[in-house]
Amino acid sequence: MATECLDKQKTIDLRKKHIGPSCKVFFSHDPIKIIRAKGQYMYDEKGERYLDCINNVAHVGHSHPDVVRAASQQMELLNTNSRFLHDNLVVYAQRLQATLPDKLSVCYFVNSGSEANDLALRLAWQYTGHKDVITLNNAYHGHVSSLIDISPYKFHQLSDAEHHKQFVHVAPSPDIYRGKYRADHPDPATAYSDEVRDIISRAHERGGKIAAFIAESLQSCGGQVIPPAGYFQKVAAHVRQAGGVVIADEVQVGFGRVGSHFWGFQLQGADFVPDIVTMGKPIGNGHPMSCVVTSREVAQAFMSSGMEYFNTFGGNPVSCAIGLAVLDVLQNEDLQGNALRVGGHLTRLLGKLKEKHPLVGDVRGHGFFVGVELVRDRVKLTPATAEAQEVIYKLKEEHILLSADGPHRNVLKFKPPMCFSREDAELVVERIHLILSDIEKALNMHMPDQVHFDRGCKRKVSFSDNLPECHSVRHRGAGNEPIRVYN
Ligand SMILES: Cc1ncc(COP(=O)(O)O)c(C=O)c1O
């Protein structure tokens, strides 16, 4: 049984003293100290249990014994870099390849999603000889400099307009609920992909050349966005016509999370195959590992630069042993099937909430990738940002961990470990139902301006007094209005 070695206040004090202040904790006004976890449950220092609906890293469940065993057994034998021959590396690459279309056959192992996307950009630049990159609005692709440049989710937080680089082009997010072309549009896939085509034309007029289009197969931080079917095929045609490649970021959504398929991009149909796929978070179930997979042609071009690629930790025997164990557990416990069944049940139950609660504007999802968008007005789609925060804080009081994301922080975001059960789904939906009922009752949804914030960040609320302290205006909405952020 794990124990804590410092009391909670001491942990907080040391964190404040020695950890960079921009590294945030969940629920910063009353953070949770977790000392052990198992399956879909996390336990704090008092042994209190929390249901984890947000941890897409502990993919096959926290501390899965098979994964732990694989790690410790390999650690006892050997861990070293990939300049020595080792079977784990090649066997794992072969197993991974078997989940992908044949064209994607060459792997580079790295240690984080950011490293994977940074390498993907280098591959694209080298293969195409071009520089320009098209990214989607609200996208997040990682924390290193090259990726902040292509992550509007991050660079929009900076007041400094210079952070928008000339070679980066931002296409509208293919969001058919709140985006530029909505569900009532006759052909949103074509309309959104035409935006990419037009961006390419404008880049060409300015002398730019397209190296890559990068997108998550389903946008996660961007608000659990599900692109219309056929969108990626049409985008890929425009991008390839311009000599560029398509990078699918599967860091959050890959590895069976969407239930019906192993990879998110496969939801678009078998006729869409990206040129480069990046993966991360779930691949090592918490162990830092990630991977870039591409075609032989792209890999050859990277080789022809003459520069060796070396990564000290990427693809080491321990990481690959863990990766193999994760794939085995996924298969042996039919966790992709569980995502399909339980995720479908969860989405159906949440869909019923839409019938009862005016705050629920949209429910969308595939498997265990589910979003519930809260709005104050279903016609104007006014984001219910404070209400979404209220929901996640109230859930936390009930020991259920959920997050709110998207450009307005009004999308409840489900991405639980893949062992999440039917009972877990029913519990969380029931609790959300009760919390929404309280908020709507207090607000009287016909008078939405009962909830607002004044300029000094003081609340004028008539319902709960448990809203967290307002920290800062760090985000801008579609109309450039400030959005206050709670941690
Ligand atoms: C879609 C996506 N890509 C890339 C990354 C970066 O991964 P990491 O934090 O492992 O560097 C993240 C992290 O949140 C992500 O969500």
Side-chain angles (χ1 to χ4, degrees):
M1 163 74 83
T3 51
E4 60 169 351
C5 41
L6 303 171
D7 81 32
K8 187 171 171 181
Q9 192 51 52
K10 181 76 179 160
T11 312
I12 293 171
D13 294 345
L14 283 176
R15 189 170 166 119
K16 278 191 185 141
K17 191 167 173 198
H18 295 300
I19 305 300
S22 34
C23 305
K24 301 286 186 194
V25 287
F26 286 131
F27 308 106
S28 64
H29 78 298
D30 181 21
I32 309 172
K33 182 170 178 183
I34 296 295
I35 60 166
R36 70 184 178 93
K38 193 88 187 148
Q40 65 274 48
Y41 303 109
M42 303 180 91
Y43 298 84
D44 72 9
E45 77 284 3
K46 295 182 199 133
E48 302 270 340
R49 192 178 89 167
Y50 291 79
L51 174 62
D52 182 359
C53 308
I54 53 178
N55 227 304
N56 55 353
V57 174
H59 196 58
V60 299
H62 290 276
S63 313
H64 194 290
D66 294 3
V67 179
V68 173
R69 198 175 312 110
S72 67
Q73 283 179 353
Q74 183 56 50
M75 196 78 184
E76 275 184 15
L77 273 180
L78 167 77
N79 201 19
T80 184
N81 69 50
S82 56
R83 280 206 174 114
F84 298 96
L85 288 178
H86 197 280
D87 292 345
N88 288 4
L89 178 73
V90 291
V91 172
Y92 184 53
Q94 190 182 37
R95 285 281 300 277
L96 210 48
Q97 202 286 312
T99 67
L100 287 156
D102 289 346
K103 169 182 141 181
L104 296 165
S105 61
V106 184
C107 301
Y108 297 85
F109 289 104
V110 291
N111 310 290
S112 69
S114 298
E115 266 191 69
N117 282 330
D118 182 72
L119 178 58
L121 288 181
R122 287 179 61 194
L123 292 173
W125 283 324
Q126 179 68 30
Y127 175 68
T128 63
H130 299 173
K131 179 69 182 169
D132 287 23
V133 177
I134 305 173
T135 186
L136 292 180
N137 203 10
N138 309 321
Y140 177 63
H141 293 295
H143 61 79
V144 302
S145 308
S146 64
L147 303 173
I148 297 298
D149 287 348
I150 62 160
S151 297
Y153 183 82
K154 286 284 173 193
F155 71 66
H156 280 169
Q157 293 175 19
L158 302 166
S159 48
D160 174 4
E162 280 176 22
H163 265 92
H164 191 155
K165 297 283 188 310
Q166 281 286 312
F167 70 89
V168 176
H169 310 277
V170 180
S173 164
D175 173 357
I176 58 166
Y177 178 67
R178 152 181 312 281
K180 190 166 177 183
Y181 309 106
R182 299 186 177 169
D184 58 356
H185 188 283
D187 186 359
T190 302
Y192 278 116
S193 61
D194 284 352
E195 293 275 339
V196 174
R197 180 199 60 197
D198 296 347
I199 283 172
I200 294 171
S201 305
R202 288 197 294 276
H204 284 170
E205 281 162 21
R206 294 214 312 256
K209 289 182 177 169
I210 305 301
F213 169 87
I214 182 167
E216 282 187 273
S217 302
L218 304 129
Q219 243 189 351
S220 48
C221 298
Q224 303 292 87
V225 173
I226 297 173
Y231 168 71
F232 281 111
Q233 284 87 333
K234 290 174 196 289
V235 167
H238 296 312
V239 171
R240 288 175 183 148
Q241 169 85 23
V245 296
V246 175
I247 303 170
D249 180 338
E250 292 269 347
V251 167
Q252 283 216 31
V253 299
F255 279 81
R257 173 159 299 280
V258 299
S260 54
H261 299 82
F262 199 79
W263 299 105
F265 71 80
Q266 292 171 323
L267 287 168
Q268 292 271 315
D271 56 339
F272 171 62
V273 179
D275 302 290
I276 302 173
V277 175
T278 60
M279 50 197 83
K281 296 180 191 283
I283 183 170
N285 213 50
H287 178 81
M289 64 184 291
S290 59
C291 187
V292 182
V293 188
T294 190
S295 64
R296 173 79 34 213
E297 294 72 39
V298 171
Q300 274 314 129
F302 193 53
M303 174 74 186
S304 69
S305 75
M307 196 201 299
E308 181 200 5
Y309 182 78
F310 174 65
N311 189 314
T312 302
F313 300 118
N316 67 71
V318 171
S319 296
C320 292
I322 289 171
L324 282 163
V326 170
L327 289 180
D328 285 342
V329 176
L330 274 172
Q331 202 174 334
N332 296 343
E333 299 183 8
D334 185 25
L335 294 180
Q336 186 180 326
N338 191 56
L340 184 66
R341 291 183 295 275
V342 178
H345 186 54
L346 173 66
T347 306
R348 273 189 299 280
L349 293 176
L350 290 166
K352 287 189 186 153
L353 292 188
K354 192 176 162 187
E355 294 161 20
K356 297 179 197 152
H357 294 285
L359 271 171
V360 178
D362 192 35
V363 175
R364 47 189 182 253
H366 283 289
F368 280 145
F369 176 92
V370 180
V372 179
E373 181 146 1
L374 300 187
V375 292
R376 289 185 195 158
D377 181 317
R378 284 190 179 180
V379 178
K380 293 185 195 147
L381 305 189
T382 318
T385 305
E387 291 81 355
Q389 299 298 322
E390 174 80 353
V391 171
I392 62 167
Y393 270 81
K394 286 283 185 199
L395 283 174
K396 181 217 171 199
E397 284 170 17
E398 308 213 20
H399 289 188
I400 296 172
L401 304 177
L402 192 67
S403 65
D405 214 334
H408 306 282
R409 299 293 188 272
N410 66 325
V411 181
L412 304 178
K413 181 176 172 181
F414 290 82
K415 43 175 184 153
M418 299 276 281
C419 51
F420 202 73
S421 72
R422 231 180 136 78
E423 294 70 33
D424 298 328
E426 287 164 7
L427 174 77
V428 67
V429 175
E430 174 62 16
R431 292 296 191 269
I432 291 175
H433 163 60
L434 296 174
I435 295 167
L436 287 176
S437 303
D438 283 352
I439 297 176
E440 287 164 355
K441 193 167 159 218
L443 279 178
N444 185 355
M445 284 298 290
H446 298 291
M447 290 181 280
D449 52 349
Q450 267 194 334
V451 168
H452 65 274
F453 299 89
D454 70 14
R455 283 171 174 268
C457 196
K458 289 195 185 108
R459 291 178 292 119
K460 291 183 184 170
V461 285
S462 58
F463 56 107
S464 159
D465 260 334
N466 288 325
L467 273 175
E469 193 188 327
C470 178
H471 281 261
S472 60
V473 176
R474 280 193 274 124
H475 298 271
R476 302 266 155 195
N480 207 33
E481 77 282 10
I483 294 172
R484 302 185 193 288
V485 173
Y486 305 89
N487 293 302

